[in-house]
Amino acid sequence: MKRIRAVIFDCDGVVIDSGADMAAAVNATLEHFDMKQLPEQQIVSFVGNGARMLVMRSVKYSLQKSDLSPADISSGCMNNILNWYVAYYNAHAVERTVLYPGYAELLEKFLFNGFHMAVVSNKPGEITRKILRYFDIEDYFDAVIGPEQLKHIKPDPEGLALSLGIMNTNLAYASGGKPFEEITPAETLMVGDSYVDIQAGRNFGAQTCAVAGGLGDKELLAAEHADITVEYAGDLRSIFSL
């Protein structure tokens, strides 16, 4: 790998193993709106493109097994379903969710060695920050970017560009007006468990790391041929000899 000064993480499947809580929230939502519940693993397979796509995919799959049709769900009704899901999930986001093995230790090593870090997730930003605070790791990151702050979510690189801009602003502030070397996209590593993460990193000009043990579709992830592949993000300690 080339020189790395900044690391940008996806959240679900990289920082946190959150599939059980998201699936439970989706099934609570489906039950609330009188739709058939789905197996947990089926719901988890829909994760990766934000809450709206998660709910839409789950609703459509559920309705395939009912007397209703996806066409019977209006856009206004879908918005109500999405809002109910977000509120429920926000209230139940850390019941079974855990940090992945070695992740907290990785953050400590990266911080000690001068890396700048951010989280860029298609997950609602308020919920992401709540979970990071719960595990007492929010302060490790220069930025936590959610879809509400962006016009385009991953695989668009907008979120990565925004987070790197914040990192460089923090560097400028820390320099006290003295000359400093900005971090470039080429000195940035995008770490994700989904093909959209690797595409976002590549679209930004960053180096990429695939997390094979996350929640994302493993075949689609492998097909992106990331620069490096690890089982868990915590395994980056050995990659960087930390």
Side-chain angles (χ1 to χ4, degrees), residues 77-89:
C77 183
M78 185 62 75
N79 286 336
N80 289 339
I81 295 171
L82 173 63
N83 291 338
W84 200 94
Y85 163 79
V86 170
Y88 183 93
Y89 180 47

Side-chain angles (χ1 to χ4, degrees), residues 107-227:
L107 294 181
E108 292 178 3
K109 292 293 185 180
F110 272 168
L111 185 67
F112 181 78
N113 284 276
F115 289 84
H116 288 261
M117 295 173 283
V119 171
V120 177
S121 176
N122 290 343
K123 187 187 199 75
E126 177 186 354
I127 298 176
T128 299
R129 286 183 282 272
K130 174 181 179 177
I131 294 172
L132 297 180
R133 283 194 298 272
Y134 176 84
F135 289 110
D136 198 26
I137 60 173
E138 184 181 22
D139 290 342
Y140 283 98
F141 304 107
D142 288 54
V144 178
I145 307 298
E148 304 86 355
Q149 298 162 262
L150 308 171
K151 292 182 180 179
H152 306 287
I153 63 174
K154 295 177 296 185
D156 191 282
E158 182 185 353
L160 281 65
L162 177 58
S163 65
L164 189 60
I166 294 171
M167 291 178 189
N168 281 321
T169 296
N170 290 345
L171 274 175
Y173 180 80
S175 74
K178 297 178 181 179
F180 71 99
E181 184 183 0
E182 286 197 350
I183 304 170
T184 67
E187 296 172 316
T188 304
L189 181 67
M190 177 66 211
V191 184
D193 69 317
S194 170
Y195 73 95
V196 299
D197 300 314
I198 307 307
Q199 289 178 355
R202 190 171 293 125
N203 291 338
F204 186 53
Q207 299 176 66
T208 56
C209 173
V211 177
L215 304 178
D217 186 296
K218 291 171 177 49
E219 290 187 7
L220 293 177
L221 179 65
E224 291 298 324
H225 301 291
D227 295 306

